[in-house]
Amino acid sequence: QVQLEESGPGLVKPSETLSLTCTVSGVSISSTYWSWIRQPPGKGLEWIGYVFHSGSTNYNPSLKSRVTISVDTSKNQFSLKVTSVTAADTAVYYCARSTYSYGDPNWLDFWGQGTLVTVSS
Amino acid sequence: DIVMTQSPDSLAVSLGERATINCKSSQNVLYSSNHKNYLAWYQQKPGQPPKLLIYWASTRESGVPVRFSGSGSGTDFTLTISSLQAEDVAVYYCQQYYTTPYTFGQGTKLEVK
């Protein structure tokens, strides 16, 4: 049974760095791509980026300059950092598994429960 | 970026009736070399993460009831619930994975009439 669980601070001050970790169980993180997605309260979904077990990444250009996604295969975890946060970064942050075929990541088949991160002083 | 536009924004359907949600992409998401439409559908209930329903535009994920079906190709897609059940009340999203940045529709809120 594939399970993902997000962890990290629920409150971050403006201009500081948001840091979250996703712990994967039930499958090796070396098996596929892993994504972060966020959802502001009452709004839709925004893909943030993905990481492969090799460490290769792809980010949404809307956040690219502020985002880093990394992977720790020894712990079966991957992480998200967003720098210089503002109130606009307040959202539920989800980690998810991307299947892949034909060489590229595809749909998101397993999701964590999500964690609300509020940016406020 | 590929813009995904869903219609309607909200929909009220009687129990047992058909529900139809549309999704239009601003660019073609059909990959010619493998004839696959890079389009997925998700269901999100309040306080829960999205749940995958459909991928490759029309392939039902394992465990998803047969009343859910996906259709369409190129830029126009449809999610159909053949006979609405009370547990289907949710927000539904389409998503393209043809190219990054992967993008979602704005969501369609489905309620019982």
Side-chain angles (χ1 to χ4, degrees):
Chain A
Q1 176 76 356
V2 178
Q3 292 186 313
L4 296 88
E5 183 174 7
E6 305 89 352
S7 58
L11 181 64
V12 181
K13 290 183 168 55
S15 80
E16 295 191 345
T17 297
L18 178 161
S19 296
L20 296 174
T21 296
C22 183
T23 301
V24 178
S25 59
V27 68
S28 169
I29 204 164
S30 297
S31 60
T32 187
Y33 291 81
W34 304 88
S35 291
W36 287 98
I37 304 95
R38 70 181 184 178
Q39 184 172 38
K43 296 188 177 181
L45 299 161
E46 179 181 33
W47 175 77
I48 299 171
Y50 65 64
V51 63
F52 194 47
H53 63 82
S54 63
S56 66
T57 55
N58 193 311
Y59 302 134
N60 192 324
S62 69
L63 294 159
K64 188 173 184 177
S65 62
R66 299 193 295 127
V67 167
T68 302
I69 299 176
S70 58
V71 62
D72 186 336
T73 55
S74 67
K75 295 182 179 178
N76 228 40
Q77 294 176 335
F78 63 108
S79 298
L80 170 71
K81 290 188 189 298
V82 182
T83 61
S84 305
V85 297
T86 69
D89 294 307
T90 294
V92 175
Y93 286 76
Y94 295 101
C95 58
R97 185 179 83 163
S98 294
T99 60
Y100 81 100
S101 57
Y102 302 100
D104 292 312
N106 302 139
W107 57 90
L108 302 156
D109 61 350
F110 286 95
W111 296 62
Q113 285 299 306
T115 186
L116 174 63
V117 179
T118 302
V119 178
S120 176
S121 56
Chain B
D1 299 4
I2 296 179
V3 177
M4 308 299 290
T5 304
Q6 293 181 223
S7 61
D9 289 334
S10 62
L11 180 63
V13 174
S14 299
L15 292 175
E17 296 299 305
R18 178 186 300 262
T20 301
I21 299 170
N22 301 301
C23 174
K24 187 174 186 66
S25 58
S26 62
Q27 299 174 37
N28 177 45
V29 299
L30 172 63
Y31 198 41
S32 56
S33 65
N34 60 15
H35 307 291
K36 297 283 193 184
N37 286 284
Y38 282 54
L39 190 285
W41 287 97
Y42 301 86
Q43 173 194 65
Q44 187 178 32
K45 297 181 179 179
Q48 295 185 20
K51 173 189 174 184
L52 175 69
L53 297 175
I54 302 282
Y55 57 91
W56 294 137
S58 60
T59 302
R60 201 179 302 111
E61 171 71 335
S62 176
V64 172
V66 296
R67 63 180 180 273
F68 290 91
S69 63
S71 62
S73 185
T75 61
D76 291 281
F77 302 90
T78 300
L79 174 70
T80 301
I81 307 172
S82 60
S83 176
L84 187 72
Q85 305 299 303
E87 61 265 32
D88 301 334
V89 169
V91 178
Y92 292 83
Y93 294 94
C94 60
Q95 179 226 343
Q96 65 81 19
Y97 47 93
Y98 182 85
T99 188
T100 58
Y102 299 143
T103 48
F104 295 84
Q106 80 277 17
T108 294
K109 187 174 184 180
L110 177 59
E111 300 173 312
V112 174
K113 186 187 294 183

